[in-house]
Amino acid sequence: MRTGRHPGPSDPTSRRPPERGRRPDVPTLSPRRPHEGARQRPRLSQGDYAVGIEIQIPDIGDFKDIPIIEIHVKEGDTIGPDDPLVSLESDKATMDVPSPSAGVVEKILVKLGDKVSEGSPLLVFKGESAKAAETAAAAPAGADGAALVTQQEPALSAAPSAPAPAAPAGNLPDFSQVHASPGVRRLARELGLDLTAVKGTGEKGRITKEDVKGHLTRSAAPAPAASGTAAFSGSGMGIPEIPAVDFSKFGPIETQALSRIKKISGAHLHRSWLNVPLVTHQDESDITETDAYRKELDNAGKDLKDKGYRVTLLAFLIKAAVSALRKHPEFNASLSPEKDALILKRYYNIGVAVDTPDGLVVPVIKDADRKGIIEISRDLGAISAKARDGKLSAADMQGATFSISSLGGIGGTSFTPLVNAPEVAILGVARSKMSPVWNGTEFKPRLIVPLSLSYDHRVIDGALAARFARHLAHVLEDVRRLVV
């Protein structure tokens, strides 16, 4: 689901070169507190730098048995705070595990290809002190690119095709010195290609997917393709790639790197678009009375000095959506991995699209059915601030059963939001406007809000979508209906 404004990132030429071992395009996992993610091991006292600390894999969400694809340090190395120690590669993202503080690597407890989970021992190092390590590790976990994608992705077992066989533990190729993105490294491993033999044509010699494909083409004769069919793109869907174009032939150009969020979420958006047969139903709701009541609540919230809050239409949309989800539970569901059953969810967590400088994120309002307008408004204010500051945790992004994307503060009359699979529907809201409405005797100015409901046609048919949208609009027109 990509809607809303997405400010472009800064010019990549202005970025500082990465420090030793760092890869800016790879998400970093935040370490846990020492009593959860590290056990301190007493050592012979040589001042504050003689404390042996065992580093463990921090909280990585629901992932288990993730292979280690790179080890960035060796025994005896001196490392600084947040330096990457190892890289993990799940089916959804590649992630770095950072050092909680400065110190010297004393012993590495894993090897390339080992599969690890939360709490697995990683290495022992002599840090600045136990107190310093504890202080560094106590920082709250922030939102990284991996968390922004994995929160709604289905399990690997839900994929219709079988995954490629994993390489034996300890036999994964070492690409730690190769200048290539995580996606290119993974593609090379899947194809059994030695990246060290590939010449990069990207910026500063970076190896691109085109370089990998070109190397394979030169190394072996291509198999004959079916008539009218382009070569397999490697996307897993057999869809031909868009041919590369040298735009500089037509005029001046500037290349800007995508933000981490956009790079990692791109695959999820593409997969949803390819897998979900999407239809969008348009409707509208007369919110004249509801907006008047909203303004009363908003003014009361602004008058509070210490615990003030703002009340927007989004809080009412969430409550109206819950009412519609209860009436039509097919919308609060997901397809089973085998695609032959519907998993109905008896909880109501609403994902809310938030526009940030780095791209669109979707934090979740949990248990929306148990909260009133004021509590939801407070939650929206808090979670939106965390999103804009880049402080969302993985837990903030998980568990949505239905999503809402609102462009009301920007403009537009309607749009087609993408279903955030494995959810089966999403509500898009454009900008409300005053319109003349015939009441039977005369035209009256009424505040009308456009509603765009996108849904998975495998689960929901057009008539059911129309009933859902009409119920939501009906409830939104008179908030008293929320309590009936």
Side-chain angles (χ1 to χ4, degrees), residues 247-266:
F247 300 106
S248 62
K249 294 188 302 184
F250 311 109
I253 63 172
E254 177 185 356
T255 301
Q256 292 186 341
L258 291 175
S259 68
R260 178 183 296 176
I261 292 175
K262 290 182 180 180
K263 284 192 286 187
I264 296 179
S265 64

Side-chain angles (χ1 to χ4, degrees), residues 192-482:
L193 178 66
D194 183 6
L195 271 186
T196 59
V198 179
K199 182 179 180 181
T201 61
E203 184 180 358
K204 298 181 181 179
R206 189 180 190 87
I207 299 174
T208 66
K209 286 186 178 180
E210 287 69 28
D211 295 331
V212 172
K213 295 173 186 176
H215 183 83
L216 289 174
T217 302
R218 291 188 296 270
S219 301
S227 176
T229 303
F232 176 65
S233 68
S235 66
M237 299 297 294
I239 296 176
E241 292 279 3
I242 298 173
V245 177
D246 182 7
F247 300 106
S248 62
K249 294 188 302 184
F250 311 109
I253 63 172
E254 177 185 356
T255 301
Q256 292 186 341
L258 291 175
S259 68
R260 178 183 296 176
I261 292 175
K262 290 182 180 180
K263 284 192 286 187
I264 296 179
S265 64
H268 177 55
L269 294 169
H270 190 214
R271 181 164 53 252
S272 293
W273 175 254
L274 292 175
N275 284 281
V276 177
L278 179 145
V279 181
T280 303
H281 176 87
Q282 309 289 349
D283 207 328
E284 58 186 22
S285 177
D286 183 342
I287 59 168
T288 308
E289 277 75 27
T290 298
D291 192 61
Y293 180 51
R294 179 200 65 81
K295 290 177 180 178
E296 292 179 16
L297 296 179
D298 186 50
N299 290 332
K302 288 189 296 185
D303 291 340
L304 299 177
K305 295 182 179 180
D306 298 330
K307 299 182 179 180
Y309 55 86
R310 299 301 304 269
V311 178
T312 66
L313 182 63
L314 186 54
F316 292 89
L317 286 165
I318 290 174
K319 292 299 294 182
V322 169
S323 176
L325 292 171
R326 279 176 162 167
K327 186 174 181 62
H328 302 287
E330 299 91 339
F331 284 79
N332 203 55
S334 292
L335 274 173
S336 67
E338 296 76 22
K339 307 295 188 294
D340 60 355
L342 199 57
I343 302 173
L344 300 175
K345 303 165 189 176
R346 304 305 183 189
Y347 54 93
Y348 302 89
N349 297 340
I350 309 299
V352 179
V354 177
D355 186 26
T356 75
D358 292 325
L360 200 69
V361 296
V362 189
V364 180
I365 302 296
K366 304 290 178 63
D367 299 320
D369 57 316
R370 304 178 185 178
K371 298 175 179 177
I373 296 296
I374 301 301
E375 187 174 1
I376 290 177
S377 297
R378 292 184 187 274
D379 287 352
L380 285 172
I383 207 166
S384 298
K386 288 177 69 176
R388 287 189 293 269
D389 295 339
K391 296 180 180 179
L392 288 172
S393 67
D396 293 327
M397 311 292 296
Q398 296 174 334
T401 61
F402 182 82
S403 294
I404 298 177
S405 178
S406 175
L407 297 179
I410 305 172
T413 56
S414 64
F415 63 100
T416 300
L418 296 184
V419 173
N420 193 16
E423 298 167 31
V424 297
I426 179 174
L427 178 68
V429 184
R431 190 169 190 171
S432 58
K433 65 175 182 179
M434 280 291 180
S435 300
V437 176
W438 179 255
N439 64 7
T441 58
E442 60 182 341
F443 283 100
K444 287 286 188 180
R446 306 293 292 179
L447 186 61
I448 307 297
V449 61
L451 304 173
S452 303
L453 178 69
S454 293
Y455 56 92
D456 187 336
H457 211 349
R458 296 172 298 178
V459 178
I460 300 160
D461 58 31
L464 182 59
R467 294 187 186 100
F468 179 94
R470 190 84 299 272
H471 177 85
L472 191 150
H474 180 69
V475 170
L476 197 60
E477 290 171 355
D478 189 342
V479 293
R480 292 174 298 182
R481 294 169 182 151
L482 291 173

Side-chain angles (χ1 to χ4, degrees), residues 144-155:
D144 52 54
L148 297 179
V149 178
T150 60
Q151 36 92 22
Q152 288 300 317
E153 293 192 8

